Amino acid sequence: MDASKIIKSHEAKYKPVDVHRIVPVEIDAGLLTAVDGNLLSDTFKDNLPIETLLKENTRDITQLLVNELFSLPTTVTQEGVLATLPDPKHTIPREKPVPKDVPLTRWEKFAKLKGINKKKKDRMVYDDATGELRPSWGYKGMNKKEESEWLIPIKSTSFGDNSVDVRKDLASKRKENIEKNNKRKQRNVEEAYPKAAKAKLDAAKSKQLAATNDRAAKKKQLKQSIVLSKVSTASMGKFDKKLEGEPKLRRAKQKLPSVTRSAADERDANKAIISKLF
């Protein structure tokens, strides 16, 4: 059986592995990058469409990069055969600036000074009294164990004082401790990030100022509505009931005709009344 025809048909089906370029292609295996400085007109002589030229050129450059990867030292692992990439030849600039060191909070400085290592506490702890696992905090938490006991010792000074509620005092003390810890945490964050704390404070002030301006505008609008409602009555608000903080109304003075007018003015006034009647 002649195998030359089979080999030729196989070679015609697949592209060759060996690729030749006039200008050598610069390959950086550390970055998995290949840079080709050849012109397309020098590489392909045939009058092919630009899309075909780019596709063929990309295939050849990729083949050279793959050839370079297969020449690297390899190690066999459970995932398969892995190649050890060399150090990159090119230095790529960072997209974003180098992150700054996060400043330590007051507690982190103290822990570092004393050599305290942070340990994650378990959510569930063992209760010796009941022999069950209970959460450290939250619903039926161990931090509320003393409040739920059926017998709570009190101080001798509280004997006979019926106004003392021990369970209520314990609950309020626990809430005060939580509030105190939250304030300390907020203080530590503000000390570590003064710019962020200042920005947050400025945002709160601007929000409060906007609310104050809105409240003043609503107050002014309400006063105008009160004035309009007063002058809409027959007495122009003169006999209406006064409200607390109600603005004073400025009524226009009514111009009454003079009593001592001349006969000519009297005649003209009477003529005007008669003309209105007829």
Side-chain angles (χ1 to χ4, degrees):
M1 181 179 180
D2 189 6
S4 59
K5 294 182 179 179
I6 299 175
I7 295 173
K8 288 182 180 180
S9 62
H10 182 78
E11 291 177 351
K13 188 183 298 183
Y14 298 99
K15 298 288 184 179
V17 177
D18 297 330
V19 179
H20 300 284
R21 282 290 188 269
I22 300 174
V23 179
V25 176
E26 186 179 358
I27 297 176
D28 189 349
L31 296 176
L32 300 178
T33 307
V35 181
D36 185 14
N38 295 277
L39 298 176
L40 291 177
S41 58
D42 296 338
T43 306
F44 300 94
K45 301 298 182 181
D46 299 334
N47 295 326
L48 298 175
I50 186 64
E51 292 81 3
T52 306
L53 292 176
L54 292 174
K55 186 176 180 182
E56 294 291 337
N57 192 51
T58 304
R59 180 264 160 199
D60 292 344
I61 297 173
T62 306
Q63 182 64 58
L64 291 174
L65 178 61
V66 172
N67 295 343
E68 181 69 20
L69 294 178
F70 272 91
S71 64
L72 297 175
T74 58
T75 55
V76 180
T77 62
Q78 293 181 354
E79 288 78 12
V81 180
L82 302 179
T84 304
L85 297 179
D87 295 333
K89 299 178 182 178
H90 299 83
T91 302
I92 299 178
R94 291 179 59 91
E95 179 184 2
K96 297 180 180 179
V98 179
K100 298 180 180 179
D101 295 335
V102 179
L104 299 178
T105 61
R106 183 177 294 191
W107 163 250
E108 289 174 346
K109 292 178 182 177
F110 177 78
K112 186 177 181 180
L113 181 63
K114 297 295 183 179
I116 301 174
N117 297 323
K118 186 178 180 180
K119 295 181 180 179
K120 186 176 180 181
K121 295 183 179 180
D122 294 333
R123 179 73 173 87
M124 306 299 291
V125 294
Y126 181 75
D127 188 3
D128 297 332
T130 59
E132 297 177 353
L133 290 175
R134 292 178 58 180
S136 301
W137 62 90
Y139 179 66
K140 292 184 179 181
M142 289 292 289
N143 59 337
K144 304 175 186 176
K145 180 181 178 182
E146 192 175 2
E147 303 172 20
S148 60
E149 294 289 343
W150 69 275
L151 180 63
I152 302 176
I154 62 175
K155 296 181 180 179
S156 59
T157 55
S158 302
F159 287 154
D161 189 358
N162 296 327
S163 62
V164 177
D165 191 345
V166 184
R167 301 182 191 277
K168 190 175 181 180
D169 293 342
L170 290 174
S172 61
K173 186 177 180 181
R174 177 173 52 82
K175 291 179 181 179
E176 287 177 1
N177 292 334
I178 293 174
E179 187 177 356
K180 187 188 298 183
N181 291 335
N182 290 335
K183 287 182 178 179
R184 288 178 178 176
K185 183 179 179 181
Q186 182 65 25
R187 181 198 61 191
N188 293 340
V189 172
E190 290 177 358
E191 289 180 357
Y193 305 95
K195 291 184 179 180
K198 185 177 181 302
K200 187 176 181 180
L201 182 62
D202 293 342
K205 285 183 178 179
S206 61
K207 186 177 181 180
Q208 185 178 4
L209 182 61
T212 304
N213 295 337
D214 189 24
R215 188 162 54 249
K218 289 182 179 179
K219 186 176 180 181
K220 184 178 180 181
Q221 185 180 3
L222 181 60
K223 286 184 177 181
Q224 292 176 353
S225 301
I226 293 174
V227 171
L228 292 175
S229 64
K230 288 292 183 182
V231 299
S232 64
T233 58
S235 62
M236 301 293 288
K238 184 176 181 181
F239 303 106
D240 293 347
K241 186 178 179 181
K242 302 293 183 182
L243 300 175
E244 184 179 356
E246 179 181 347
K248 292 183 180 181
L249 296 177
R250 295 183 179 180
R251 299 182 182 86
K253 293 183 179 180
Q254 186 178 3
K255 293 182 180 181
L256 299 175
S258 177
V259 181
T260 59
R261 55 186 174 181
S262 62
D265 293 338
E266 185 73 23
R267 185 175 61 250
D268 293 338
N270 292 333
K271 284 183 179 180
I273 295 172
I274 292 172
S275 65
K276 287 182 180 180
L277 292 175
F278 299 100

